[in-house]
Amino acid sequence: MSEAAKPDGADAEPRVGAVLKTARLARRRTLEDVAAEVSITKGYLSKLERDTVSASVATLVKICAALDIPMGALFEGPAVGEVVRAGSYPPIEFGGTGVAEFLLTPGGERRLQMILGEIAPGGGSGDEAYSLPADVTFAFVLAGSLVIAFPGADGADVHLGKGDAFTFDARREHSFTAGADGARVLWAIVPALPYQTRSDRP
């Protein structure tokens, strides 16, 4: 395929634009930064996402690499979503003591991150407070109890039990600790954070 406008009657060619756009938005990448990485123009990438131009194989390979998607995904058609099956949640590592965490959203999804946390009795993030490079954190306690502490002059401890939900500024320093019965917590972070799978650890 050449990097030129599609001629009349080219509708039979694979339409890859929707797949590329969906992948780019999921990764919170702009047209500008993907185009710069691939060494094409923003306008050309925009046209490619609208399927008004076709691209060379070499260009598609570069775009897929930039978006971290397999070439084969281009020809499967745009997906309505991505399933993470029960029992197949990838374990991830954000630190803490007595904490096991599992990613519920796809690894390439950067707009939102959903994490299932299993926290042992008395376990948690540790004594030192931390903040996250995100906008919002949401916590929903599925079982047990959890204390989220905010240090400082205006700090406070928020006590959460089963069924309680709490939304707060992710950039504010905080820490969390499970109660005597432990805790099972559904966390949502917007936008998604970089993370390390257990298999990535040295």
PDB file of all heavy atoms in Angstrom, residues 129-130 137 147-160 166-176:
ATOM      1  N   ALA A 129       3.676   8.221  54.124  1.00  0.00           N
ATOM      2  CA  ALA A 129       2.602   8.648  53.232  1.00  0.00           C
ATOM      3  C   ALA A 129       3.150   8.860  51.825  1.00  0.00           C
ATOM      4  O   ALA A 129       4.339   9.112  51.626  1.00  0.00           O
ATOM      5  CB  ALA A 129       1.966   9.931  53.750  1.00  0.00           C
ATOM      6  N   TYR A 130       2.292   8.763  50.847  1.00  0.00           N
ATOM      7  CA  TYR A 130       2.699   8.923  49.456  1.00  0.00           C
ATOM      8  C   TYR A 130       1.579   9.625  48.681  1.00  0.00           C
ATOM      9  O   TYR A 130       0.433   9.718  49.142  1.00  0.00           O
ATOM     10  CB  TYR A 130       2.979   7.558  48.820  1.00  0.00           C
ATOM     11  CG  TYR A 130       1.754   6.684  48.703  1.00  0.00           C
ATOM     12  CD1 TYR A 130       1.013   6.629  47.526  1.00  0.00           C
ATOM     13  CD2 TYR A 130       1.312   5.917  49.794  1.00  0.00           C
ATOM     14  CE1 TYR A 130      -0.130   5.842  47.426  1.00  0.00           C
ATOM     15  CE2 TYR A 130       0.182   5.133  49.697  1.00  0.00           C
ATOM     16  CZ  TYR A 130      -0.539   5.093  48.516  1.00  0.00           C
ATOM     17  OH  TYR A 130      -1.676   4.331  48.427  1.00  0.00           O
ATOM     18  N   THR A 137      -8.449   9.140  42.997  1.00  0.00           N
ATOM     19  CA  THR A 137      -8.440   7.754  43.472  1.00  0.00           C
ATOM     20  C   THR A 137      -9.806   7.460  44.087  1.00  0.00           C
ATOM     21  O   THR A 137     -10.372   8.284  44.818  1.00  0.00           O
ATOM     22  CB  THR A 137      -7.346   7.515  44.520  1.00  0.00           C
ATOM     23  OG1 THR A 137      -6.075   7.724  43.935  1.00  0.00           O
ATOM     24  CG2 THR A 137      -7.402   6.082  45.051  1.00  0.00           C
ATOM     25  N   VAL A 147      -8.493   1.802  56.723  1.00  0.00           N
ATOM     26  CA  VAL A 147      -8.301   3.187  57.169  1.00  0.00           C
ATOM     27  C   VAL A 147      -7.376   3.877  56.167  1.00  0.00           C
ATOM     28  O   VAL A 147      -6.280   3.378  55.884  1.00  0.00           O
ATOM     29  CB  VAL A 147      -7.687   3.253  58.583  1.00  0.00           C
ATOM     30  CG1 VAL A 147      -7.430   4.712  58.974  1.00  0.00           C
ATOM     31  CG2 VAL A 147      -8.593   2.580  59.597  1.00  0.00           C
ATOM     32  N   ILE A 148      -7.832   4.996  55.628  1.00  0.00           N
ATOM     33  CA  ILE A 148      -6.990   5.818  54.754  1.00  0.00           C
ATOM     34  C   ILE A 148      -6.653   7.075  55.533  1.00  0.00           C
ATOM     35  O   ILE A 148      -7.552   7.824  55.957  1.00  0.00           O
ATOM     36  CB  ILE A 148      -7.702   6.156  53.435  1.00  0.00           C
ATOM     37  CG1 ILE A 148      -8.073   4.868  52.701  1.00  0.00           C
ATOM     38  CG2 ILE A 148      -6.800   7.030  52.556  1.00  0.00           C
ATOM     39  CD1 ILE A 148      -8.790   5.088  51.378  1.00  0.00           C
ATOM     40  N   ALA A 149      -5.357   7.297  55.778  1.00  0.00           N
ATOM     41  CA  ALA A 149      -4.892   8.400  56.625  1.00  0.00           C
ATOM     42  C   ALA A 149      -4.274   9.504  55.776  1.00  0.00           C
ATOM     43  O   ALA A 149      -3.538   9.225  54.824  1.00  0.00           O
ATOM     44  CB  ALA A 149      -3.878   7.882  57.638  1.00  0.00           C
ATOM     45  N   PHE A 150      -4.567  10.744  56.151  1.00  0.00           N
ATOM     46  CA  PHE A 150      -4.026  11.920  55.475  1.00  0.00           C
ATOM     47  C   PHE A 150      -3.248  12.732  56.513  1.00  0.00           C
ATOM     48  O   PHE A 150      -3.850  13.387  57.364  1.00  0.00           O
ATOM     49  CB  PHE A 150      -5.151  12.760  54.874  1.00  0.00           C
ATOM     50  CG  PHE A 150      -5.927  12.048  53.804  1.00  0.00           C
ATOM     51  CD1 PHE A 150      -7.026  11.270  54.131  1.00  0.00           C
ATOM     52  CD2 PHE A 150      -5.543  12.135  52.479  1.00  0.00           C
ATOM     53  CE1 PHE A 150      -7.743  10.604  53.149  1.00  0.00           C
ATOM     54  CE2 PHE A 150      -6.248  11.471  51.485  1.00  0.00           C
ATOM     55  CZ  PHE A 150      -7.353  10.700  51.822  1.00  0.00           C
ATOM     56  N   PRO A 151      -1.912  12.695  56.461  1.00  0.00           N
ATOM     57  CA  PRO A 151      -1.127  13.406  57.470  1.00  0.00           C
ATOM     58  C   PRO A 151      -1.145  14.913  57.236  1.00  0.00           C
ATOM     59  O   PRO A 151      -1.578  15.391  56.199  1.00  0.00           O
ATOM     60  CB  PRO A 151       0.280  12.829  57.270  1.00  0.00           C
ATOM     61  CG  PRO A 151       0.323  12.461  55.822  1.00  0.00           C
ATOM     62  CD  PRO A 151      -1.066  11.990  55.491  1.00  0.00           C
ATOM     63  N   GLY A 152      -0.660  15.650  58.218  1.00  0.00           N
ATOM     64  CA  GLY A 152      -0.588  17.100  58.092  1.00  0.00           C
ATOM     65  C   GLY A 152      -1.546  17.781  59.039  1.00  0.00           C
ATOM     66  O   GLY A 152      -2.380  17.141  59.698  1.00  0.00           O
ATOM     67  N   ALA A 153      -1.441  19.117  59.085  1.00  0.00           N
ATOM     68  CA  ALA A 153      -2.255  19.897  60.011  1.00  0.00           C
ATOM     69  C   ALA A 153      -3.744  19.701  59.778  1.00  0.00           C
ATOM     70  O   ALA A 153      -4.549  19.712  60.707  1.00  0.00           O
ATOM     71  CB  ALA A 153      -1.890  21.382  59.894  1.00  0.00           C
ATOM     72  N   ASP A 154      -4.121  19.543  58.508  1.00  0.00           N
ATOM     73  CA  ASP A 154      -5.536  19.368  58.184  1.00  0.00           C
ATOM     74  C   ASP A 154      -5.857  17.913  57.859  1.00  0.00           C
ATOM     75  O   ASP A 154      -6.859  17.610  57.214  1.00  0.00           O
ATOM     76  CB  ASP A 154      -5.938  20.265  57.012  1.00  0.00           C
ATOM     77  CG  ASP A 154      -5.132  19.962  55.753  1.00  0.00           C
ATOM     78  OD1 ASP A 154      -4.093  19.279  55.861  1.00  0.00           O
ATOM     79  OD2 ASP A 154      -5.546  20.423  54.665  1.00  0.00           O
ATOM     80  N   GLY A 155      -4.978  17.008  58.288  1.00  0.00           N
ATOM     81  CA  GLY A 155      -5.152  15.604  57.963  1.00  0.00           C
ATOM     82  C   GLY A 155      -6.263  14.958  58.781  1.00  0.00           C
ATOM     83  O   GLY A 155      -6.755  15.508  59.759  1.00  0.00           O
ATOM     84  N   ALA A 156      -6.642  13.774  58.330  1.00  0.00           N
ATOM     85  CA  ALA A 156      -7.699  13.039  59.026  1.00  0.00           C
ATOM     86  C   ALA A 156      -7.598  11.577  58.633  1.00  0.00           C
ATOM     87  O   ALA A 156      -6.997  11.236  57.618  1.00  0.00           O
ATOM     88  CB  ALA A 156      -9.074  13.588  58.664  1.00  0.00           C
ATOM     89  N   ASP A 157      -8.170  10.726  59.453  1.00  0.00           N
ATOM     90  CA  ASP A 157      -8.265   9.309  59.133  1.00  0.00           C
ATOM     91  C   ASP A 157      -9.681   9.017  58.674  1.00  0.00           C
ATOM     92  O   ASP A 157     -10.656   9.386  59.346  1.00  0.00           O
ATOM     93  CB  ASP A 157      -7.942   8.453  60.355  1.00  0.00           C
ATOM     94  CG  ASP A 157      -6.473   8.530  60.755  1.00  0.00           C
ATOM     95  OD1 ASP A 157      -5.693   9.106  59.972  1.00  0.00           O
ATOM     96  OD2 ASP A 157      -6.123   8.029  61.836  1.00  0.00           O
ATOM     97  N   VAL A 158      -9.792   8.362  57.536  1.00  0.00           N
ATOM     98  CA  VAL A 158     -11.101   7.983  57.009  1.00  0.00           C
ATOM     99  C   VAL A 158     -11.260   6.486  57.226  1.00  0.00           C
ATOM    100  O   VAL A 158     -10.479   5.688  56.688  1.00  0.00           O
ATOM    101  CB  VAL A 158     -11.229   8.340  55.514  1.00  0.00           C
ATOM    102  CG1 VAL A 158     -12.580   7.887  54.973  1.00  0.00           C
ATOM    103  CG2 VAL A 158     -11.045   9.841  55.308  1.00  0.00           C
ATOM    104  N   HIS A 159     -12.261   6.089  58.010  1.00  0.00           N
ATOM    105  CA  HIS A 159     -12.504   4.683  58.328  1.00  0.00           C
ATOM    106  C   HIS A 159     -13.587   4.146  57.403  1.00  0.00           C
ATOM    107  O   HIS A 159     -14.690   4.696  57.335  1.00  0.00           O
ATOM    108  CB  HIS A 159     -12.919   4.541  59.793  1.00  0.00           C
ATOM    109  CG  HIS A 159     -11.845   4.920  60.759  1.00  0.00           C
ATOM    110  ND1 HIS A 159     -11.069   3.981  61.425  1.00  0.00           N
ATOM    111  CD2 HIS A 159     -11.398   6.145  61.166  1.00  0.00           C
ATOM    112  CE1 HIS A 159     -10.197   4.608  62.204  1.00  0.00           C
ATOM    113  NE2 HIS A 159     -10.376   5.916  62.071  1.00  0.00           N
ATOM    114  N   LEU A 160     -13.270   3.075  56.717  1.00  0.00           N
ATOM    115  CA  LEU A 160     -14.191   2.495  55.746  1.00  0.00           C
ATOM    116  C   LEU A 160     -14.491   1.046  56.115  1.00  0.00           C
ATOM    117  O   LEU A 160     -13.590   0.283  56.459  1.00  0.00           O
ATOM    118  CB  LEU A 160     -13.587   2.539  54.342  1.00  0.00           C
ATOM    119  CG  LEU A 160     -13.173   3.918  53.809  1.00  0.00           C
ATOM    120  CD1 LEU A 160     -12.413   3.763  52.490  1.00  0.00           C
ATOM    121  CD2 LEU A 160     -14.393   4.803  53.616  1.00  0.00           C
ATOM    122  N   PHE A 166     -15.143   5.696  48.794  1.00  0.00           N
ATOM    123  CA  PHE A 166     -14.457   6.949  49.116  1.00  0.00           C
ATOM    124  C   PHE A 166     -13.694   7.432  47.889  1.00  0.00           C
ATOM    125  O   PHE A 166     -12.968   6.655  47.261  1.00  0.00           O
ATOM    126  CB  PHE A 166     -13.498   6.713  50.293  1.00  0.00           C
ATOM    127  CG  PHE A 166     -12.730   7.931  50.730  1.00  0.00           C
ATOM    128  CD1 PHE A 166     -13.364   9.138  50.962  1.00  0.00           C
ATOM    129  CD2 PHE A 166     -11.356   7.865  50.912  1.00  0.00           C
ATOM    130  CE1 PHE A 166     -12.654  10.265  51.372  1.00  0.00           C
ATOM    131  CE2 PHE A 166     -10.635   8.969  51.333  1.00  0.00           C
ATOM    132  CZ  PHE A 166     -11.283  10.176  51.565  1.00  0.00           C
ATOM    133  N   THR A 167     -13.870   8.710  47.547  1.00  0.00           N
ATOM    134  CA  THR A 167     -13.189   9.327  46.411  1.00  0.00           C
ATOM    135  C   THR A 167     -12.341  10.485  46.924  1.00  0.00           C
ATOM    136  O   THR A 167     -12.829  11.299  47.726  1.00  0.00           O
ATOM    137  CB  THR A 167     -14.217   9.853  45.381  1.00  0.00           C
ATOM    138  OG1 THR A 167     -15.052   8.777  44.964  1.00  0.00           O
ATOM    139  CG2 THR A 167     -13.523  10.438  44.159  1.00  0.00           C
ATOM    140  N   PHE A 168     -11.087  10.574  46.468  1.00  0.00           N
ATOM    141  CA  PHE A 168     -10.218  11.643  46.949  1.00  0.00           C
ATOM    142  C   PHE A 168      -9.165  12.012  45.917  1.00  0.00           C
ATOM    143  O   PHE A 168      -8.963  11.301  44.927  1.00  0.00           O
ATOM    144  CB  PHE A 168      -9.563  11.253  48.281  1.00  0.00           C
ATOM    145  CG  PHE A 168      -8.699  10.023  48.239  1.00  0.00           C
ATOM    146  CD1 PHE A 168      -7.316  10.141  48.095  1.00  0.00           C
ATOM    147  CD2 PHE A 168      -9.248   8.749  48.347  1.00  0.00           C
ATOM    148  CE1 PHE A 168      -6.507   9.009  48.065  1.00  0.00           C
ATOM    149  CE2 PHE A 168      -8.449   7.621  48.328  1.00  0.00           C
ATOM    150  CZ  PHE A 168      -7.078   7.752  48.184  1.00  0.00           C
ATOM    151  N   ASP A 169      -8.498  13.129  46.187  1.00  0.00           N
ATOM    152  CA  ASP A 169      -7.447  13.652  45.315  1.00  0.00           C
ATOM    153  C   ASP A 169      -6.217  12.752  45.412  1.00  0.00           C
ATOM    154  O   ASP A 169      -5.621  12.621  46.476  1.00  0.00           O
ATOM    155  CB  ASP A 169      -7.103  15.082  45.742  1.00  0.00           C
ATOM    156  CG  ASP A 169      -6.072  15.753  44.845  1.00  0.00           C
ATOM    157  OD1 ASP A 169      -5.470  15.070  43.983  1.00  0.00           O
ATOM    158  OD2 ASP A 169      -5.866  16.972  45.004  1.00  0.00           O
ATOM    159  N   ALA A 170      -5.841  12.131  44.297  1.00  0.00           N
ATOM    160  CA  ALA A 170      -4.714  11.193  44.306  1.00  0.00           C
ATOM    161  C   ALA A 170      -3.393  11.879  44.632  1.00  0.00           C
ATOM    162  O   ALA A 170      -2.454  11.230  45.101  1.00  0.00           O
ATOM    163  CB  ALA A 170      -4.615  10.499  42.950  1.00  0.00           C
ATOM    164  N   ARG A 171      -3.305  13.182  44.393  1.00  0.00           N
ATOM    165  CA  ARG A 171      -2.041  13.902  44.630  1.00  0.00           C
ATOM    166  C   ARG A 171      -1.834  14.288  46.102  1.00  0.00           C
ATOM    167  O   ARG A 171      -0.765  14.738  46.480  1.00  0.00           O
ATOM    168  CB  ARG A 171      -1.982  15.152  43.749  1.00  0.00           C
ATOM    169  CG  ARG A 171      -1.872  14.832  42.258  1.00  0.00           C
ATOM    170  CD  ARG A 171      -1.689  16.095  41.432  1.00  0.00           C
ATOM    171  NE  ARG A 171      -1.442  15.782  40.041  1.00  0.00           N
ATOM    172  CZ  ARG A 171      -2.386  15.578  39.129  1.00  0.00           C
ATOM    173  NH1 ARG A 171      -3.651  15.691  39.487  1.00  0.00           N
ATOM    174  NH2 ARG A 171      -2.098  15.290  37.887  1.00  0.00           N
ATOM    175  N   ARG A 172      -2.858  14.118  46.901  1.00  0.00           N
ATOM    176  CA  ARG A 172      -2.717  14.427  48.325  1.00  0.00           C
ATOM    177  C   ARG A 172      -2.038  13.259  49.025  1.00  0.00           C
ATOM    178  O   ARG A 172      -2.394  12.094  48.808  1.00  0.00           O
ATOM    179  CB  ARG A 172      -4.089  14.679  48.948  1.00  0.00           C
ATOM    180  CG  ARG A 172      -4.005  15.115  50.396  1.00  0.00           C
ATOM    181  CD  ARG A 172      -5.349  15.533  50.942  1.00  0.00           C
ATOM    182  NE  ARG A 172      -5.243  15.906  52.337  1.00  0.00           N
ATOM    183  CZ  ARG A 172      -6.270  16.246  53.104  1.00  0.00           C
ATOM    184  NH1 ARG A 172      -7.491  16.260  52.588  1.00  0.00           N
ATOM    185  NH2 ARG A 172      -6.093  16.570  54.368  1.00  0.00           N
ATOM    186  N   GLU A 173      -1.058  13.543  49.874  1.00  0.00           N
ATOM    187  CA  GLU A 173      -0.330  12.477  50.552  1.00  0.00           C
ATOM    188  C   GLU A 173      -1.260  11.688  51.468  1.00  0.00           C
ATOM    189  O   GLU A 173      -2.071  12.254  52.199  1.00  0.00           O
ATOM    190  CB  GLU A 173       0.837  13.056  51.359  1.00  0.00           C
ATOM    191  CG  GLU A 173       1.977  13.566  50.489  1.00  0.00           C
ATOM    192  CD  GLU A 173       3.262  13.683  51.277  1.00  0.00           C
ATOM    193  OE1 GLU A 173       3.215  13.772  52.524  1.00  0.00           O
ATOM    194  OE2 GLU A 173       4.337  13.679  50.632  1.00  0.00           O
ATOM    195  N   HIS A 174      -1.117  10.356  51.393  1.00  0.00           N
ATOM    196  CA  HIS A 174      -1.982   9.491  52.170  1.00  0.00           C
ATOM    197  C   HIS A 174      -1.310   8.139  52.366  1.00  0.00           C
ATOM    198  O   HIS A 174      -0.280   7.839  51.766  1.00  0.00           O
ATOM    199  CB  HIS A 174      -3.337   9.299  51.458  1.00  0.00           C
ATOM    200  CG  HIS A 174      -3.207   8.671  50.094  1.00  0.00           C
ATOM    201  ND1 HIS A 174      -2.840   9.390  48.974  1.00  0.00           N
ATOM    202  CD2 HIS A 174      -3.393   7.390  49.671  1.00  0.00           C
ATOM    203  CE1 HIS A 174      -2.821   8.587  47.921  1.00  0.00           C
ATOM    204  NE2 HIS A 174      -3.138   7.367  48.311  1.00  0.00           N
ATOM    205  N   SER A 175      -1.901   7.328  53.202  1.00  0.00           N
ATOM    206  CA  SER A 175      -1.478   5.940  53.389  1.00  0.00           C
ATOM    207  C   SER A 175      -2.723   5.138  53.745  1.00  0.00           C
ATOM    208  O   SER A 175      -3.770   5.702  54.071  1.00  0.00           O
ATOM    209  CB  SER A 175      -0.426   5.816  54.498  1.00  0.00           C
ATOM    210  OG  SER A 175      -0.967   6.243  55.735  1.00  0.00           O
ATOM    211  N   PHE A 176      -2.626   3.814  53.651  1.00  0.00           N
ATOM    212  CA  PHE A 176      -3.789   2.999  54.000  1.00  0.00           C
ATOM    213  C   PHE A 176      -3.365   1.767  54.790  1.00  0.00           C
ATOM    214  O   PHE A 176      -2.267   1.237  54.613  1.00  0.00           O
ATOM    215  CB  PHE A 176      -4.584   2.595  52.755  1.00  0.00           C
ATOM    216  CG  PHE A 176      -3.854   1.687  51.799  1.00  0.00           C
ATOM    217  CD1 PHE A 176      -3.861   0.306  51.964  1.00  0.00           C
ATOM    218  CD2 PHE A 176      -3.156   2.214  50.718  1.00  0.00           C
ATOM    219  CE1 PHE A 176      -3.199  -0.530  51.075  1.00  0.00           C
ATOM    220  CE2 PHE A 176      -2.477   1.387  49.828  1.00  0.00           C
ATOM    221  CZ  PHE A 176      -2.499   0.014  49.999  1.00  0.00           C
TER     222      PHE A 176
END
